[in-house]
Amino acid sequence: MQIELKVESHPSGRWTLKHRDHRDENFSDYPAGSPLFGNENPAKFYRAVAREIADLNKQGHEVQYEDVL
């Protein structure tokens, strides 16, 4: 399955990873409390993003990733 991931940053300094698969029209947030949602620490956030991409790849998903420009 193809999964799209997109990083969003908020002016408050929080980082969130959004996701959707080929069946979804809109992106969704990861659950609150996850290091992928509203994380104030960019290093911890990007380590969690790397783990998520690796886990999705291990599950056989094709991942498209878009970061903040």
Side-chain angles (χ1 to χ4, degrees), residues 31-45:
S34 162
L36 298 170
F37 178 82
N39 195 328
E40 295 177 333
N41 183 318
K44 288 182 181 179
F45 173 75

Side-chain angles (χ1 to χ4, degrees), residues 11-25:
S12 68
R14 295 181 181 268
W15 301 80
T16 296
L17 185 66
K18 297 184 166 284
H19 64 95
R20 73 175 174 188
D21 66 35
H22 69 278
R23 299 170 294 189
D24 297 331
E25 185 173 324

Side-chain angles (χ1 to χ4, degrees), residues 6 11 20-21 25 36 38-39 46 50 55 59 61 66 69:
K6 177 171 66 170
R20 73 175 174 188
D21 66 35
E25 185 173 324
L36 298 170
N39 195 328
Y46 279 105
D55 289 345
Q59 295 170 22
H61 299 291
E66 179 182 334
L69 298 178

